[in-house]
Amino acid sequence: MQEQVNYQLETKADKTSQSSCVAEEDRNKPTYCVTDVPPWYLCIFLAVQHYLTAFGGIITIPLILSEGLCLQHDTLTQSLLINTIFFVSGLCTILQVTFGVRLPILQGGTFALVTPAMAVLSLPEWKCPAWTQNASLVNTSSPDFIEEWQSRMRTLQGSIMVASVLQILVGFSGLIGFLMRFIGPLTIAPTVSLIGLALYDSAGVKAGSHWGISAFTTGLIILFSQYLQLIPIPVPSCSKTKKRKNSKFYIFQTMPILLGIAVSWLFCYLLTIFDVLPSDSTQYGHLARTDVKSNVVSKAPWFTLPYPGKWGIPTVNLAAVVGILAGIICSMAESVGDYYACARLSGAPPPPKHAISRGIGVEGIGSLLAGAFGTGNGTTSFSENVAALGITRVGSRTVILLSGFLMILMGLVGKIGAIFTTIPTPVIGGMFLIMFGVISAAGISNLQFTDMNSSRNIFVFGFSIFSALVIPNWIMMNPGVLETGVKEVDQVLHVLFTTHMFVGGFLGFFLDNTIPGTKRERGLLTWNTGHPEDSSNALTSDKVYSLPFGITSCLQSQSWVRYIPFCPQSDHKSEDDIQSRGTEQMTRV
């Protein structure tokens, strides 16, 4: 009798637990899944939101690269670079959503290529001449100055294009699945963290132009993104019954970086018109004035069309190719994690191998296009926009597709890029403090998949990240120690060993794969599994990951398709069978 009572109590507890889990799943279920199409007005609003979410990360990259390209005092060219990277990001987003992994995942510039690019530009033969650092000596229209920065850009272009071929091969050949067996959280964590940590000098120089304005900008972004993110702003709207009502708009959650920059920018404008900030360029705080770059907007054209080879015929540098390859490998591993997270948040089943292969391959094509167009960077999946899917609970790929078209439009309007270049330097420095700190923390967050109570894992991560800070810094102070007598070899060694993320990633990869440890301890089980299939999910892989325009149907009629890793494989199981199997599983539970 007692056993029957215990059994009934356990059954009741299981039902209660199951119902609470179901209720929690219902709360977390997206309002619009990956294949749904929201109303047109909601599509436009959410597309703008995704554009604003990616805004900070996208404009940061050309602003950093401009230092190594000797463009500190050529704001008009900086604006063209911003237009180009927006245009290419939109183009790559459309390709990824349509033919790639087919998830609502936005593409943009990657910080993984910024560090090796800056290492290449720090080579003795590529260091900017002293006269390019002096604004009074720079004539931005002179052939000598144009050749100075375009020669560096052409080297980055060609090297990125060559390195992207590896990503295309790894993706479309299906090798990405094999590589992910050896690349785990203890490789990715130090690599991604060092992307942000390596840029501390750039952030410090810009923030140090006026620490008061930088601190004000940082404080505003922290206030909006952390303290006010759940406070809605009432927006009047009309319902179908023609009655006025107030809708809630979480403006601080949607665009904290843009708001922080705008308010701080306005504050600098007021300080400028009242002559609070010094007008002498030699005095501290002059770069906080809003009239320092005021002429760039009037000079910029209303319409600009980015095109391949705009800066000349790309050239290739072996050291640059090797350094950028390290960044691309990091970017590939990070993107695979983004695919699984995006699928979970958008209500899609886990991405199959052919979809992941296509996604990485299309990212390689995106980096090839970015190199050809001359952004000085590649493309990758934007983790910030994946997180935005969980906030808005709208996982429709139609929204991301529209966002891609919006970025292309922004890339064609020359005045848009020009406006962004007039942001005062300390305001950019305050934004850098937030963004680079978040990138560093995002890398460390990968350790959640590992057992950090393990002394093995603590040693691997700690040694990798500390050595990656010490070794590049020592080599930069002692550049002659890597001289072998062969110029090309010297350049390769200099770029690799002064790239923090390569040193940290290599040490983490080597130690994680050689020091004994279980897969659970190393975090590989959770890392490679992604998330389990949800039997209640009405969407099937065929619905989500099949190629558009009937391409999948045409391919599956061919027998040779099963040998192509990136092609959807024919699935003889009908949707009714899948749904009935899910019902049976729920019944057994």
Side-chain angles (χ1 to χ4, degrees), residues 343-384:
R344 181 174 66 252
L345 293 172
S346 61
K353 291 181 180 179
H354 68 81
I356 293 176
S357 297
R358 273 202 321 273
I360 296 299
V362 170
E363 283 193 16
I365 294 174
S367 294
L368 184 67
L369 291 174
F373 276 82
T375 65
N377 198 250
T379 59
T380 190
S381 301
F382 254 50
S383 302
E384 296 92 336

Side-chain angles (χ1 to χ4, degrees), residues 475 477-484:
I475 291 177
M477 292 189 297
N478 303 273
V481 297
L482 294 177
E483 291 183 358
T484 62

Side-chain angles (χ1 to χ4, degrees), residues 223-378:
L223 176 68
F224 296 149
S225 65
Q226 304 301 320
Y227 294 100
L228 303 180
Q229 61 170 328
L230 298 180
I231 297 179
I233 300 296
V235 178
S237 61
C238 295
S239 63
K240 292 182 179 179
T241 58
K242 296 184 179 180
K243 291 182 179 180
R244 293 192 64 183
K245 65 174 184 178
N246 288 331
S247 300
K248 294 181 179 180
F249 177 42
Y250 293 89
I251 186 173
F252 302 115
Q253 187 182 68
T254 304
M255 50 188 82
I257 293 178
L258 187 65
L259 284 174
I261 290 175
V263 174
S264 188
W265 199 350
L266 176 62
F267 182 64
C268 288
Y269 174 73
L270 295 176
L271 295 180
T272 300
I273 61 176
F274 289 111
D275 277 332
V276 176
L277 297 171
S279 57
D280 185 357
S281 60
T282 61
Q283 292 185 6
Y284 175 81
H286 171 72
L287 293 177
R289 294 181 65 94
T290 55
D291 56 2
V292 174
K293 309 172 186 176
S294 58
N295 61 339
V296 67
V297 179
S298 59
K299 289 182 179 179
W302 275 103
F303 177 80
T304 180
L305 180 63
Y307 57 88
K310 189 171 186 177
W311 318 126
I313 299 175
T315 58
V316 179
N317 180 281
L318 178 62
V321 171
V322 175
I324 288 168
L325 277 175
I328 280 182
I329 292 172
C330 166
S331 175
M332 286 192 292
E334 192 179 7
S335 291
V336 172
D338 287 336
Y339 295 162
Y340 281 108
C342 183
R344 181 174 66 252
L345 293 172
S346 61
K353 291 181 180 179
H354 68 81
I356 293 176
S357 297
R358 273 202 321 273
I360 296 299
V362 170
E363 283 193 16
I365 294 174
S367 294
L368 184 67
L369 291 174
F373 276 82
T375 65
N377 198 250

Side-chain angles (χ1 to χ4, degrees), residues 53-55 57-58 61 105-111 338 380-387:
T53 302
F55 159 83
I58 290 178
I61 292 170
I105 194 162
L106 190 133
Q107 303 291 289
T110 169
F111 284 95
D338 287 336
T380 190
S381 301
F382 254 50
S383 302
E384 296 92 336
N385 291 80
V386 173

